[in-house]
Amino acid sequence: MDKIAVLIPCYNESATIEKVVKDFKREIPEAVIYVYDNNSSDGTDEIARAAGAVVRYERHQGKGNVIRRMFRDIDALCYIMADGDDTYPASEAKEMARLVLEEQVDMVVGDRLSSTYFMENKRPFHNFGNSLVRFSINHIFKTKNNDIMTGYRAMSYEFVKTFPVISKGFEIETEMSIHAAQKNLLVRNHVIEYKDRPEGSESKLNTFSDGFKVIGTILKLFRTYKPLQFFSYIAVVLMAIGVGFLVPVINTYIKTGLVDRFPTLIVCCFVILTSIIAFFSGLILETINWKNRQDFEMNLITVDFHKKILEKM
């Protein structure tokens, strides 16, 4: 088992990967630097290997797929995850690792948004999207995360081995933040100095398509982790629609004793019934979700036991 493992997912980062690997080797020489190449065509893997990294491969395209492979393959007391584009300072890695190793923090978030991100990042929609995602998750899950979508994180063995990677692409960071919030894991924000990509290095993010994927991930995880709240919103909207259209029918019946709009009456009854079903579906799923959280706590005990065995080997 490694004490500290630096995980760098890469796709065509030949312009920057050598500097990134050497920076981390200089700042935390006791760490093992792992570069996972995701079908690069520009020689990223050879450059990383020459710089001193352990190079491995993930053929299934997508950042989420690479991280899934990393988390399955590597055992370490502390994991540092960073991008290969030289936008994150390796100088902060030692302090982030200390928080995990000495203060038992489950995940340290490299907070770009509290420092230089909005000045360095030249893509206004990215800035808006980061702010929107941060507000949405903090509001829905009652957290205080300063940067939801940062790719610079330090994580404990327990976090990595209990995190179910579902996302395939760049929405993986959002999934990690929500998982930590829902499972009541200890998260710390650590402010870092962000710098934009150097010339010759191109971002793989698509502002709109990846943005919609992130929003979709938030909605899916909101439904999964807070089903009672999610389905209650649906129930309230349906009830309001059903009652709103039903009131005029009832008023006419009170005044005349006749129901002159039977189709409206029938549809309203179905809408109100659907609202009731949605609410009770949320109640049932909330109970299942609570049981899943209990199972997660028991799984943590098992993971911690395996960690202690690996430490002795």
Side-chain angles (χ1 to χ4, degrees):
M1 172 182 271
D2 302 324
K3 181 180 180 181
I4 302 174
V6 177
L7 312 182
I8 308 174
C10 277
Y11 174 60
N12 288 341
E13 299 289 4
S14 60
T16 54
I17 189 61
E18 180 180 9
K19 181 178 184 302
V20 171
V21 171
K22 289 183 176 180
D23 285 351
F24 276 107
K25 287 181 72 67
R26 181 184 68 250
E27 296 295 336
I28 38 176
E30 69 272 28
V32 181
I33 316 296
Y34 294 94
V35 171
Y36 272 66
D37 185 84
N38 194 207
N39 302 311
S40 296
S41 58
D42 63 351
T44 295
D45 54 344
E46 293 303 325
I47 296 172
R49 188 177 289 109
V54 177
V55 177
R56 295 178 180 176
Y57 298 88
E58 171 54 47
R59 303 303 182 186
H60 197 179
Q61 196 67 40
K63 186 175 182 179
N65 294 321
V66 179
I67 290 173
R68 180 190 295 113
R69 176 68 63 186
M70 288 174 160
F71 285 3
R72 282 162 49 187
D73 287 355
I74 299 169
D75 293 319
L77 296 177
C78 175
Y79 300 78
I80 304 287
M81 187 177 79
D83 292 339
D85 56 9
D86 194 30
T87 56
Y88 299 119
S91 57
E92 299 294 338
K94 203 168 190 67
E95 174 59 17
M96 293 169 70
R98 187 194 69 79
L99 291 171
V100 171
L101 295 171
E102 297 181 13
E103 299 191 19
Q104 288 76 53
V105 178
D106 291 297
M107 182 170 66
V108 181
V109 176
D111 174 16
R112 310 161 298 168
L113 304 190
S114 297
S115 60
T116 56
Y117 182 80
F118 294 109
M119 293 180 291
E120 286 286 329
N121 193 293
K122 306 302 188 297
R123 294 155 291 185
F125 283 110
H126 283 207
N127 296 340
F128 172 75
N130 272 282
S131 298
L132 177 63
V133 170
R134 176 176 61 178
F135 171 80
S136 300
I137 291 179
N138 285 339
H139 178 72
I140 293 171
F141 294 94
K142 310 302 179 188
T143 58
K144 295 181 180 179
N145 290 328
N146 293 340
D147 192 348
I148 302 297
M149 300 175 67
T150 178
Y152 198 21
R153 298 167 188 258
M155 296 156 289
S156 67
Y157 178 85
E158 289 80 2
F159 178 91
V160 166
K161 296 305 181 182
T162 58
F163 173 53
V165 181
I166 304 298
S167 300
K168 299 178 181 179
F170 287 98
E171 62 272 26
I172 182 67
E173 286 94 354
T174 304
E175 187 181 347
M176 294 170 74
S177 298
I178 294 175
H179 172 76
Q182 199 270 341
K183 291 300 190 293
N184 195 32
L185 299 174
L186 180 57
V187 178
R188 289 273 184 88
N189 295 296
H190 182 73
V191 178
I192 63 169
E193 296 291 321
Y194 175 87
K195 58 182 178 179
D196 206 3
R197 282 174 170 266
E199 290 187 17
S201 175
E202 295 183 2
S203 174
K204 315 306 182 298
L205 278 170
N206 184 295
T207 301
F208 295 102
S209 65
D210 287 315
F212 285 125
K213 288 178 184 177
V214 168
I215 293 172
T217 298
I218 293 173
L219 290 176
K220 285 188 290 186
L221 293 176
F222 180 31
R223 180 194 63 198
T224 301
Y225 289 148
K226 288 187 171 289
L228 180 57
Q229 187 176 348
F230 180 85
F231 284 100
S232 292
Y233 287 152
I234 295 175
V236 167
V237 171
L238 291 175
M239 184 65 72
I241 293 172
V243 171
F245 282 96
L246 186 62
V247 168
V249 177
I250 294 175
N251 285 338
T252 301
Y253 176 76
I254 292 173
K255 292 176 182 178
T256 66
L258 299 173
V259 177
D260 59 352
R261 289 184 287 177
F262 266 107
T264 301
L265 175 63
I266 293 170
V267 171
C268 287
C269 289
F270 274 111
V271 171
I272 292 172
L273 180 61
T274 304
S275 170
I276 295 170
I277 292 172
F279 176 73
F280 280 99
S281 297
L283 278 177
I284 294 169
L285 291 171
E286 187 72 19
T287 302
I288 295 172
N289 184 52
W290 183 257
K291 179 62 170 60
N292 288 339
R293 291 186 65 179
Q294 291 178 320
D295 292 342
F296 174 80
E297 292 300 322
M298 297 305 297
N299 189 34
L300 271 180
I301 296 173
T302 303
V303 169
D304 190 57
F305 177 72
H306 289 161
K307 174 186 170 183
K308 291 175 180 177
I309 292 176
L310 290 172
E311 286 184 278
K312 293 178 181 178
M313 293 176 63

